[in-house]
Amino acid sequence: MFHLLAHSGVPGLTCYRDYILILEMTPRHLWEFQMEKMPIRLEEYCVILVEKGEMHIHIDYIPYSIGENTFLLIKERNIIQIVSVSEDLQGYLMIVAPSFLRSLTLDVSSPRGINTTLLSPVTSLEQTEFRILCNDMERLRNNMGRTGHLFHARLVENELTNLILEIWNFRVPQADIQPTVAQKTGNRGHVVAQFFKLLFLHIRKQREVAFYADQLCVTPIYLSRAVKQVIGLPPIRIISDLVISDALIFLRQKDVSIQQIAEELHFPDQASFSKFFKKYTGKSPTEYRRTLIRK
């Protein structure tokens, strides 16, 4: 997602090397990179601050709503999908490379309640508390642009560390919040959580439900029923969504041929990939790429 945004030309975007990306959120800015509202596999640490308006987002296909004075904390290896945003949306989206973040917080133990795979990732604050986060985010973004500063790297690192510590400070008191859907559904929820982890690792090579069921030591029927119960969708739909999402990212890179995309996604040939893509999008890869050129 980092490289998709960094090279998108979206207005209101600030980058620091390949480590930090901050997007000033408006509805127009978000829809510039959210391709066909498809899910995206997140490989980075993500923070969303909603200062005004409302956003509806799915994390591993579980729905969340984020209103005013609310922040969303997402760790890497989640599947996210922005479903809708209000016309008056304002705020920030920040993406940070996990290795870079860990290097800055080595001497700080991540407190209980931070792991968003176990707890709801949404945290609501009082307006004065939320303003502290916005001020820290604005200061970080401004200093990311001060490339002529003699101590630019240290300046940015300090500002990011301060912001993360403030986020953790506000997050911890709200650790005892409602569990996610996966927690409420017992063993099936655990199986589904493991299914998503496997998807992140194998989606470009494996598109069969039977493969994931075998990895989890359950039958394909059990896995299908568990995913349908917890998420509301069959696993084959989720698998197809993610393959199409990866294909859309590749299609936005003009120097990558359709044959290369087919190879990256481990289709036997270009024709098989094109058939799969058209089945789920209604357009061939070539037709989709043409629509991007016309925009």
Side-chain angles (χ1 to χ4, degrees), residues 91-110:
Y92 297 97
L93 182 151
M94 180 178 73
I95 297 174
V96 183
S99 58
F100 181 64
L101 180 62
R102 283 192 286 269
S103 71
L104 299 181
T105 55
L106 283 175
D107 60 340
V108 183
S109 298
S110 178

Side-chain angles (χ1 to χ4, degrees), residues 42-215:
L42 190 67
E43 299 180 8
E44 302 90 3
Y45 191 94
C46 181
V47 176
I48 295 177
L49 305 182
V50 175
E51 191 171 8
K52 185 179 180 182
E54 188 175 25
M55 169 189 290
H56 297 278
I57 188 170
H58 289 177
I59 303 175
D60 290 347
Y61 286 82
I62 297 172
Y64 297 93
S65 294
I66 322 170
E68 294 183 2
N69 302 324
T70 300
F71 72 86
L72 180 70
L73 183 61
I74 311 171
K75 295 186 74 175
E76 70 270 25
R77 299 201 172 187
N78 283 113
I79 299 164
I80 68 168
Q81 180 182 15
I82 298 172
V83 178
S84 65
V85 297
S86 63
E87 289 298 321
D88 60 342
L89 180 74
Q90 291 180 15
Y92 297 97
L93 182 151
M94 180 178 73
I95 297 174
V96 183
S99 58
F100 181 64
L101 180 62
R102 283 192 286 269
S103 71
L104 299 181
T105 55
L106 283 175
D107 60 340
V108 183
S109 298
S110 178
R112 173 183 170 275
I114 296 303
N115 191 339
T116 60
T117 62
L118 300 178
L119 299 167
S120 170
V122 179
T123 304
S124 296
L125 299 176
E126 297 294 330
Q127 188 172 13
T128 52
E129 295 175 327
F130 188 79
R131 193 63 242 168
I132 292 173
L133 295 185
C134 287
N135 289 340
D136 284 352
M137 184 74 78
E138 290 166 4
R139 190 162 54 247
L140 169 60
R141 188 177 63 150
N142 290 336
N143 283 314
M144 283 165 59
R146 298 178 65 190
T147 55
H149 196 289
L150 289 176
F151 306 99
H152 185 230
R154 179 61 63 86
L155 192 68
V156 172
E157 291 168 5
N158 288 343
E159 294 292 1
L160 177 60
T161 303
N162 291 340
L163 173 59
I164 294 302
L165 293 179
E166 288 290 4
I167 288 172
W168 287 0
N169 177 62
F170 290 129
R171 172 72 179 164
V172 173
Q174 299 194 32
D176 297 323
I177 50 185
Q178 291 297 315
T180 64
V181 174
Q183 282 182 285
K184 296 178 182 179
T185 50
N187 186 59
R188 286 191 174 187
H190 174 74
V191 168
V192 173
Q194 296 305 308
F195 169 63
F196 276 105
K197 288 182 179 179
L198 289 172
L199 279 177
F200 194 93
L201 296 173
H202 301 290
I203 191 61
R204 289 192 178 175
K205 293 183 178 180
Q206 301 292 340
R207 295 186 294 277
E208 299 297 328
V209 174
F211 168 82
Y212 296 98
D214 183 62
Q215 294 292 306

